[in-house]
Amino acid sequence: MKLEAVELVDLFTNYKGAANDRIALHQVMTDTRKEAKQSLFVPIVGDAFDAHDFLKQAIQQGAVAALWQENRALPKFVPTDFPVFYVKDTTEALQQLAEYYLRKINPLVIGVTGSNGKTTTKDMAASVLSTIYNTHKTAGNFNNHIGLPLTVLSMPEGTEALVLEMGMNNAGEISLLSRLATPDYAIITNIGESHLENLGSREAIASAKAEILEGLKPNGKVIIDGDEALLAQLKKEERSISCGFKQLCNYTISVEAAEDNRSVFSVNGIRYELPMAGSHNVKNAAFVIALCEQLQMPTKSIQQGLNHLTMSGMRFEKHEGIKGSLIINDAYNASPTSMKAVIEVVHQLQAKKHKVLVLGDMFELGEKSLALHAGVGEAIPAGIHAVYTLGNQAKEISTAAAAKNPQMEVYHFTDKKELISQLLNTITEDTVVLLKASRKMKLEELLLDLTD
Ligand SMILES: CC(=O)N[C@H]1[C@@H](OP(=O)(O)OP(=O)(O)OC[C@H]2O[C@@H](n3ccc(=O)[nH]c3=O)[C@H](O)[C@@H]2O)O[C@H](CO)[C@@H](O)[C@@H]1O[C@H](C)C(=O)N[C@@H](C)C(=O)N[C@H](CCC(=O)N[C@@H](CCC[C@@H](N)C(=O)O)C(=O)O)C(=O)O
Ligand SMILES: Nc1ncnc2c1ncn2[C@@H]1O[C@H](COP(=O)(O)OP(=O)(O)OP(=O)(O)O)[C@@H](O)[C@H]1O
Ligand SMILES: C[C@@H](N)C(=O)N[C@H](C)C(=O)O
């Protein structure tokens, strides 16, 4: 971030201290547990803490100015010249400041939402765009009403392209993010079952994702999964571009080769290679290709960006396991669509014949959760040798898998230690183990025992 305190005076007119001074603000501080020199402290009121209680620590950690909720008394230790801007709500003020800074830097803005593939597609887009543009992107999964403003405010001054991941738990949240970011391009990756608990139906999820159009610039474009029936209505939107395997898409994908570490495919007849497996990742890449072709980027630059992907962790992250096995950590999060997608990739893997799935609970799926877990079990192909499940709901996966494939080795556990002690006995050089569950399961903890 590159701002001066004086710039905030027009935004937040109720202030005290040396607010009119040209005090450089290099970053935003929302966590006094971390040092942030020359920062603007923004005290967020959260579920566990109210950061207004930590102003002293904020100053000690490098804050040189602060936003402050106007109905809160300022502690007496605050120096009289310390710039304080009084606001109704610090989270809303953070969003307002982000909006101001975004207008000031004025990059090309790409918003990415969808049930699955947001982080992957965001990373792919940033990799490709950075071959031509000074590009900034969402760090990790900072995709909500706090994370997105922080991403905008962490944008360097010379940023030319900004790729923003937009997440939601409830209707209305994508709308807020899109109206703040006003994307030039929006991508809706797919409509799965994530957060079904709050939305109630996939139709409602589709409507929530379509909120990304609410902030889309008038001459902007939305790139959608053309194979998704629930987005069919969006295809009629004049600003929409469809991308998919079906022939009626604006950008039609055709897979030529699917290897363990490489996919070869064409989009409208132009051939690309992706250093990743999985048809879902081919589609994620195709969304990015459609975006970059809309930007008239040369095919060579697009391919160069795909060749040099830098991906966020725990998305099909490969590790060399004990005894020469292969461990795939795809445990950042899970929903039925994403779990089925990655199981199919493991099923297609050629390098390892002994295929083992370690699958945990998937959360926030609502009243149909147990049936959705069972649906994953029923979809496990016969080529999978063993299924280990962990968690109360994941038992439905193993029960359904055993019923569908009596020859499959199926085990259920409620304890990670018991699971791992049994699993370790079966691992050979020819084994591939997939770890997949919702975030709260922290299935990546099993990596410690599965790798040297
Ligand atoms: C507000 C915040 O950043 N909280 C983070 C903090 O949590 P903690 O429990 O410690 O504090 P509180 O939130 O109660 O405290 C309020 C503030 O006080 C600060 N503070 C606390 C103690 C202290 O001594 N000094 C302090 O200054 C504190 O820093 C707060 O600012 O720390 C946790 C551990 O690091 C963080 O996990 C927590 O972050 C929350 C969850 C958050 O929302 N962070 C965003 C920056 C973010 O984008 N996080 C993403 C995950 C976003 C996400 O869940 N996305 C969903 C979809 C969107 C759903 C959305 N509607 C929602 O509600 O989340 C998804 O499915 O992807 C990330 O962390 O990856
Ligand atoms: N287009 C897609 N369709 C279905 N599943 C996908 C798709 N893209 C990725 N996945 C699956 O979802 C997993 C998570 O991918 P990613 O983290 O990119 O999604 P996300 O939308 O950011 O997820 P979350 O909202 O949980 O952070 C991947 O490892 C893969 O298993
Ligand atoms: C952050 C929240 N929306 C989410 O993704 N929860 C998952 C299901 C989890 O925390 O396990």
Side-chain angles (χ1 to χ4, degrees):
M1 176 172 90
K2 190 172 171 66
L3 284 173
E4 293 183 334
V6 67
E7 293 183 78
L8 276 56
V9 164
D10 293 338
L11 278 177
F12 310 120
T13 54
N14 180 7
Y15 57 83
K16 69 167 279 294
N20 272 308
D21 286 6
R22 301 197 58 176
I23 299 170
L25 301 173
H26 293 164
Q27 54 189 315
V28 164
M29 178 199 290
T30 59
D31 193 342
T32 61
R33 296 164 291 197
K34 301 168 190 164
E35 183 182 63
K37 290 188 185 316
Q38 213 63 34
S39 62
L40 172 70
F41 177 46
V42 180
I44 304 288
V45 181
D47 296 339
F49 301 97
D50 177 347
H52 288 84
D53 297 334
F54 307 113
L55 179 55
K56 181 171 286 185
Q57 294 88 326
I59 295 170
Q60 289 165 347
Q61 291 280 42
V64 295
L67 303 189
W68 199 256
Q69 198 166 302
E70 59 195 17
N71 62 358
R72 304 289 295 261
L74 199 64
K76 296 207 181 324
F77 63 76
V78 178
T80 51
D81 63 348
F82 184 84
V84 175
F85 299 88
Y86 293 96
V87 297
K88 282 193 185 326
D89 177 288
T90 50
T91 298
E92 287 175 8
L94 177 73
Q95 293 159 1
Q96 195 183 344
L97 183 63
E99 206 164 355
Y100 165 78
Y101 186 63
L102 182 62
R103 303 282 169 274
K104 178 177 180 183
I105 304 300
N106 192 30
L108 180 78
V109 179
I110 294 90
V112 183
T113 194
S115 295
N116 311 109
K118 296 186 291 298
T119 301
T120 300
T121 304
K122 171 262 295 180
D123 289 337
M124 287 179 176
S127 292
V128 176
L129 290 167
S130 60
T131 61
I132 290 186
Y133 300 92
N134 287 328
T135 302
H136 187 64
K137 70 174 183 181
T138 297
N141 203 57
F142 264 38
N143 63 16
N144 70 8
H145 56 301
I146 295 170
L148 182 140
L150 289 178
T151 301
V152 171
L153 288 163
S154 66
M155 174 171 51
E157 201 180 16
T159 301
E160 295 167 325
L162 176 65
V163 188
L164 295 172
E165 182 175 329
M166 298 182 179
M168 66 96 190
N169 272 340
N170 297 288
E173 292 176 0
I174 297 290
S175 170
L176 182 148
L177 300 177
S178 181
R179 284 181 286 109
L180 188 164
T182 62
D184 298 278
Y185 291 89
I187 296 174
I188 304 178
T189 58
N190 82 328
I191 304 300
E193 310 83 6
S194 306
H195 315 311
L196 198 56
E197 182 171 64
N198 297 338
L199 280 295
S201 68
R202 290 187 66 240
E203 288 77 5
I205 292 172
S207 299
K209 302 300 182 185
E211 291 170 13
I212 201 166
L213 273 84
E214 292 182 23
L216 186 67
K217 288 193 176 73
N219 61 346
K221 297 282 184 190
V222 59
I223 299 166
I224 64 171
D225 176 358
D227 300 327
E228 174 54 65
L230 292 174
L231 294 175
Q233 194 60 28
L234 268 190
K235 277 187 176 181
K236 298 168 186 166
E237 159 73 43
E238 62 177 324
R239 293 179 295 176
S240 87
I241 297 169
S242 60
C243 193
F245 295 102
K246 292 176 182 166
Q247 292 309 315
L248 297 180
C249 294
N250 301 114
Y251 286 85
T252 302
I253 311 163
S254 171
V255 175
E256 292 171 17
E259 299 169 7
D260 283 7
N261 298 303
R262 183 178 79 129
S263 301
V264 182
F265 61 101
S266 64
V267 178
N268 285 358
I270 300 175
R271 184 180 181 278
Y272 292 94
E273 292 192 8
L274 178 71
M276 293 175 81
S279 60
H280 57 279
N281 284 319
V282 166
K283 185 176 278 188
N284 293 337
F287 294 137
V288 174
I289 290 163
L291 162 72
C292 295
E293 289 195 2
Q294 288 289 315
L295 292 169
Q296 296 174 342
M297 284 179 66
T299 302
K300 187 181 175 193
S301 300
I302 296 173
Q303 183 57 64
Q304 185 188 12
L306 293 176
N307 293 342
H308 301 107
L309 285 184
T310 50
M311 301 294 295
S312 299
M314 297 205 268
R315 279 80 172 182
F316 213 77
E317 189 182 83
K318 290 183 175 179
H319 295 262
E320 185 174 340
I322 56 171
K323 301 177 188 173
S325 61
L326 170 63
I327 313 300
I328 297 171
N329 174 8
D330 198 292
Y332 182 78
N333 212 343
S335 60
T337 296
S338 68
M339 194 170 267
K340 291 173 188 172
V342 75
I343 289 169
E344 181 52 27
V345 179
V346 172
H347 179 230
Q348 297 293 340
L349 277 181
Q350 298 302 309
K352 303 289 183 184
K353 299 301 178 207
H354 181 234
K355 301 170 193 269
V356 179
L357 308 179
V358 179
L359 307 176
D361 283 356
M362 298 175 282
F363 300 118
E364 300 183 38
L365 295 175
E367 60 190 20
K368 297 175 185 169
S369 185
L370 294 181
L372 288 165
H373 280 78
V376 170
E378 286 158 8
I380 295 174
I384 298 294
H385 290 83
V387 178
Y388 290 63
T389 55
L390 182 73
N392 299 329
Q393 301 189 72
K395 181 166 178 46
E396 300 298 317
I397 298 175
S398 47
T399 303
K404 179 87 180 297
N405 299 286
Q407 82 291 348
M408 195 178 284
E409 289 180 43
V410 175
Y411 310 98
H412 177 69
F413 297 87
T414 55
D415 178 87
K416 282 180 183 159
K417 288 188 170 57
E418 289 172 14
L419 185 155
I420 202 71
S421 70
Q422 176 160 331
L423 176 58
L424 288 175
N425 295 328
T426 67
I427 288 180
T428 69
E429 185 179 10
D430 196 28
T431 302
V432 55
V433 177
L434 169 71
L435 304 175
K436 182 86 179 161
S438 269
R439 183 80 313 262
K440 287 184 188 73
M441 295 300 286
K442 296 182 181 172
L443 218 47
E444 68 276 11
E445 291 173 351
L446 298 182
L447 272 175
L448 295 174
D449 296 291
L450 290 167
T451 55
D452 290 326

